[in-house]
Amino acid sequence: MDNRWRGTCAIMLLITLLSLPGLAAAHNFVVGKAVSPIAISDGGELQLNDDDSIGYHPWNSAQLVGKVRIVQYIAGRKSAKKKNSLLIKAVEKAHFPGDVFQPTTIVNTDDVVFGTGYFVREKIENNKRRYAWAQFVIDGGGVGRNSWQLPQESSTIFVLNHQGQIVWAKDGGLTEKEVSEVIKLLWVLISEKERSAAKHETD
């Protein structure tokens, strides 16, 4: 990456970041740093098998590195899901390139309405079948909420660059303006990743 492109990209990213609200204080995310490491074995990442069945595999936060990501950590409640439905629809509509971008949804099934855990898992499994390109993780023990100090019964959104570093985060629902700005930010980060990959190939 030459200095001119590096400077242009940095300016674009700075302008975008300045237009976004600061990190909410209800979590322990730090801009420029990776999330506190977690490992989930109670549940784990959903894998779609050839016969359309769903398997579960242990998952850890190191797997967030490598692609630009928008991550939603969400309680297994309908009220939490509704908080960021606008953002999820916007991500679907954006048609980001799958080779450099992947959305990750982590569902805390330790935070559900009593007696609904089975139905929540069934819903997530159906979502994996529908959106096979997306990453879905079941956090049966609430490991992420505890480690990342997230609120209960809510939805937290955070954006990671391809190095797994926090770029932006917010607890609770995003406004229409915030959704638009996050989509723009993702395009900037995707462009950075593509430029980085192209430079690596020519070195």
Side-chain angles (χ1 to χ4, degrees):
M1 181 184 296
D2 59 37
N3 290 335
R4 184 170 59 180
W5 169 254
R6 190 188 305 274
T8 300
C9 198
I11 290 171
M12 289 174 61
L13 182 58
L14 178 61
I15 290 173
T16 308
L17 286 173
L18 288 175
S19 70
L20 293 171
L23 290 178
H27 50 65
N28 61 12
F29 300 141
V30 178
V31 171
K33 302 290 185 180
V35 298
S36 299
I38 65 170
I40 296 174
S41 57
D42 182 358
E45 181 177 356
L46 281 67
Q47 299 287 346
L48 183 60
N49 300 318
D50 292 339
D51 63 357
D52 208 40
S53 64
I54 297 291
Y56 288 80
H57 299 272
W59 181 89
N60 66 75
S61 53
Q63 296 175 46
L64 294 171
V65 177
K67 291 188 176 183
V68 174
R69 294 184 186 275
I70 186 162
V71 183
Q72 179 179 211
Y73 188 94
I74 183 173
R77 299 169 179 266
K78 184 179 293 186
S79 59
K81 180 182 177 182
K82 288 181 178 179
K83 288 181 184 292
N84 281 304
S85 58
L86 285 177
L87 177 63
I88 302 307
K89 291 177 181 178
V91 170
E92 291 179 28
K93 186 177 179 180
H95 297 295
F96 294 122
D99 57 331
V100 294
F101 170 83
Q102 187 179 39
T104 297
T105 299
I106 306 173
V107 181
N108 180 9
T109 56
D110 190 47
D111 186 358
V112 299
V113 176
F114 180 76
T116 64
Y118 170 81
F119 301 102
V120 170
R121 286 201 177 213
E122 186 177 44
K123 178 66 174 178
I124 300 305
E125 290 181 0
N126 287 335
N127 283 342
K128 179 61 180 178
R129 293 184 180 97
R130 182 178 180 185
Y131 307 107
W133 50 274
Q135 184 179 58
F136 293 91
V137 179
I138 294 291
D139 184 1
V143 174
R145 188 185 72 81
N146 294 327
S147 179
W148 297 336
Q149 299 176 14
L150 306 179
Q152 289 183 294
E153 301 182 17
S154 190
S155 168
T156 297
I157 299 293
F158 54 98
V159 176
L160 303 175
N161 62 21
H162 68 277
Q163 296 172 314
Q165 299 165 331
I166 289 283
V167 179
W168 186 87
K170 182 183 177 181
D171 293 316
L174 276 63
T175 65
E176 289 187 15
K177 180 180 179 182
E178 288 170 339
V179 168
S180 176
E181 290 172 337
V182 166
I183 295 298
K184 292 176 184 176
L185 175 58
L186 288 169
W187 278 119
V188 171
L189 296 173
I190 288 168
S191 180
E192 282 188 335
K193 167 60 176 172
E194 291 175 334
R195 291 285 181 171
S196 176
K199 181 178 183 300
H200 181 72
E201 290 177 358
T202 57
D203 286 345

